[in-house]
Amino acid sequence: MLNPIELYEDESLESCLLRISQNNYYDSFQDFSDEVWFHVKEEDREVRGTFPATLNTVNLYHSHTSSDLKLKALIKIEQWLEINNFPLLKSALSRSSNTFLRQHSAVFRNGVDIPRILLRKNGIPVCPECLKENEYIRQEWHFITHDVCTKHKTDLLHHCPECKTSINYQESENITDCQCGFKFSDHLTPQANSNALLIAQWLNSENTKLANVWGEHQAISSRFGVLLWYINRYNLTDDFSTSFVKYSLNWPTNFYSELDEQIDKAKTVQIKPFNKIFFNEIFNRLLLDCRHLPTREFKTNSILSHIYQYFLSRYQIQPNSGVFSILLSPLEASTLLSCTTDQIYRLYELGFLKLGVRPKLHQKIASHQSVFTLSSIILVKLSNMQSSQDELHHYLSAW
Ligand SMILES: [Zn+2]
Ligand SMILES: [Zn+2]
């Protein structure tokens, strides 16, 4: 049996576990972890491994293979607390089967996929005002996308104002105080940067002006997808909030101009004719990087739908421009048509997709081999516009 504590929906698993262990007078999280593990092992002798003794590896996504062991331990704690509905399991970050752009792995919580790369690796900042109200750590403070408190509209505190140490409750096993004795709730944090606040609110599902740009009904996972795509495309590391908000407010005109410039540049520097140029020679990983954001459907992937809109708008003006004879790989084609590469091969066999190069006899086209003309891909998409569904896999009859 354990003394119960109040658990909060937006609390991180590590914070829950730390508070449970402290509320039950364990000297350290390790002592608590050892005891949990001892009982789990007693009940199930087959179970292998150990329950992590440190907070920074306790979450489910840290497991390389199965997280069964950790799940059993969390269920054991829930039994001891006599609580139902698995609040600890719900607060865990598990490994997601989804990925973002270049195979970035994702964690999953409460129906949302979050790129793992956006999780803070070292310190976890806090909001002094939140700690004044309730002494627990919110999950969102673990994300680099959240530099402000959306509730109090203030900056998060990253370093102890007294001794300048990076704040990290997972290491110090102390949520409210620094090791030097400073109480974080005594600190007065400045008003939040308005752009950082806009981003945090948008990612918390609020419909700020960013939602007007990227879609009011856009899923949170897709919002994380847009932001990761932006950070990756423009190679940003730390301060992306101001530039991202500015970028969003000029979307998609700024993006279309960039693509226009890439075509203009190709016209001046390329020595080959367009029908010999690969899509990736002009646009690099433009299509491959929006293949998983984390979906590939136009309705939920606004970057991808705008890329298609861009090519369509240019095609409407100048369908015979040489640009439309550039060559795409099955992977790129399947991204632009939001379908699988198998469906691309099928479309090719049925004669819908045209090859811009002569294939070698009896050789299957490799998924990365640039062979299909851009115009034939646009035409396949256009020929299905009458359909009520906008995704390709609905167009072709089942096979
Ligand atoms: Zn706060
Ligand atoms: Zn300190």
Side-chain angles (χ1 to χ4, degrees):
M1 285 293 289
L2 287 171
N3 295 324
I5 58 162
E6 186 175 354
L7 297 170
Y8 302 91
E9 260 183 31
D10 58 350
E11 183 170 9
S12 71
L13 174 68
E14 296 88 342
S15 169
C16 297
L17 292 174
L18 178 60
R19 291 195 306 116
I20 292 167
S21 79
Q22 290 176 341
N23 199 45
N24 286 280
Y25 311 108
Y26 287 93
D27 282 341
S28 67
F29 177 71
Q30 175 158 17
D31 289 352
F32 176 55
S33 154
D34 287 347
E35 178 138 357
V36 174
W37 191 242
F38 175 77
H39 287 277
V40 170
K41 195 119 183 151
E42 214 174 39
E43 282 176 17
D44 183 356
R45 302 226 168 253
E46 299 293 301
V47 91
R48 288 180 189 278
T50 50
F51 189 55
T54 52
L55 284 170
N56 59 8
T57 51
V58 83
N59 222 314
L60 299 186
Y61 72 93
H62 290 294
S63 305
H64 289 296
T65 49
S66 154
S67 44
D68 289 0
L69 309 174
K70 287 181 180 175
L71 288 171
K72 283 187 181 176
L74 295 183
I75 291 168
K76 180 90 251 160
I77 298 168
E78 287 175 339
Q79 284 171 355
W80 282 343
L81 289 167
E82 295 186 313
I83 45 175
N84 302 317
N85 297 324
F86 306 111
L88 290 181
L89 295 189
K90 283 178 190 161
S91 68
L93 292 174
S94 51
R95 276 172 171 256
S96 168
S97 52
N98 262 329
T99 54
F100 285 85
L101 42 106
R102 303 182 190 191
Q103 296 301 311
H104 275 298
S105 59
V107 294
F108 184 79
R109 175 176 155 140
N110 202 16
V112 180
D113 285 307
I114 303 147
R116 192 169 164 175
I117 197 169
L118 298 181
L119 277 169
R120 292 196 156 98
K121 288 179 187 68
N122 301 313
I124 310 292
V126 296
C127 169
E129 292 300 318
C130 282
L131 291 182
K132 221 177 267 179
E133 292 167 14
N134 290 300
E135 297 178 344
Y136 74 93
I137 301 291
R138 292 175 191 269
Q139 179 64 69
E140 64 186 54
W141 299 345
H142 281 252
F143 304 134
I144 59 170
T145 48
H146 288 68
D147 237 354
V148 298
C149 171
T150 48
K151 190 176 175 195
H152 298 103
K153 301 186 172 39
T154 50
D155 279 348
L156 293 184
L157 182 65
H158 287 261
H159 295 90
C160 169
E162 200 64 38
C163 71
K164 316 295 176 215
T165 312
S166 170
I167 298 172
N168 190 346
Y169 75 101
Q170 296 187 329
E171 269 178 18
S172 67
E173 297 195 4
N174 194 330
I175 288 171
T176 54
D177 300 56
C178 178
Q179 276 152 318
C180 75
F182 185 83
K183 203 168 174 55
F184 300 132
S185 59
D186 285 344
H187 186 68
L188 207 63
T189 40
Q191 227 184 356
N193 168 299
S194 59
N195 293 319
L197 183 62
L198 268 178
I199 293 174
Q201 288 171 324
W202 174 60
L203 294 173
N204 284 4
S205 192
E206 289 179 42
N207 280 333
T208 60
K209 56 184 172 184
L210 288 177
N212 298 340
V213 176
W214 300 109
E216 285 187 9
H217 302 292
Q218 190 182 36
I220 307 303
S221 308
S222 301
R223 294 183 184 194
F224 274 107
V226 167
L227 191 58
L228 183 65
W229 174 85
Y230 172 77
I231 292 171
N232 181 71
R233 178 169 174 86
Y234 299 100
N235 215 359
L236 300 166
T237 46
D238 283 342
D239 187 20
F240 51 79
S241 56
T242 304
S243 68
F244 177 69
V245 171
K246 193 174 161 201
Y247 184 82
S248 298
L249 298 179
N250 288 315
W251 177 267
T253 320
N254 48 357
F255 181 55
Y256 288 0
S257 306
E258 256 177 51
L259 300 180
D260 279 341
E261 278 167 29
Q262 282 176 295
I263 292 176
D264 288 344
K265 190 176 163 205
K267 280 179 184 163
T268 52
V269 303
Q270 295 287 357
I271 40 171
K272 294 184 280 188
F274 270 115
N275 63 8
K276 299 265 186 304
I277 295 177
F278 300 160
F279 182 88
N280 62 23
E281 291 177 286
I282 300 177
F283 299 108
N284 215 314
R285 292 185 54 103
L286 177 68
L287 280 171
L288 300 185
D289 278 351
C290 64
R291 196 170 162 78
H292 306 280
L293 289 179
T295 73
R296 199 185 311 152
E297 303 207 338
F298 281 33
K299 283 194 203 92
T300 46
N301 186 334
S302 42
I303 307 287
L304 180 58
S305 71
H306 277 96
I307 291 175
Y308 173 69
Q309 283 305 326
Y310 168 78
F311 285 118
L312 183 63
S313 64
R314 291 345 183 227
Y315 188 77
Q316 279 165 333
I317 300 166
Q318 241 188 329
N320 296 323
S321 158
V323 174
F324 296 102
S325 60
I326 59 172
L327 305 171
L328 280 73
S329 68
L331 266 176
E332 289 164 336
S334 69
T335 308
L336 199 51
L337 290 175
S338 59
C339 65
T340 64
T341 46
D342 280 349
Q343 285 165 323
I344 291 296
Y345 291 124
R346 179 76 179 160
L347 281 168
Y348 164 59
E349 283 164 17
L350 293 172
F352 288 106
L353 282 178
K354 302 279 177 293
L355 288 181
V357 289
R358 196 188 295 269
K360 284 194 180 128
L361 216 55
H362 308 304
Q363 229 178 46
K364 194 184 172 187
I365 300 162
S367 62
H368 59 270
Q369 207 181 336
S370 303
V371 287
F372 300 117
T373 62
L374 178 56
S375 60
S376 73
I377 295 164
I378 292 173
L379 286 173
V380 165
K381 188 85 185 160
L382 279 175
S383 67
N384 289 289
M385 277 184 84
Q386 278 79 6
S387 163
S388 57
Q389 308 278 358
D390 75 346
E391 310 301 345
L392 184 74
H393 44 267
H394 298 296
Y395 303 164
L396 294 170
S397 53
W399 57 78

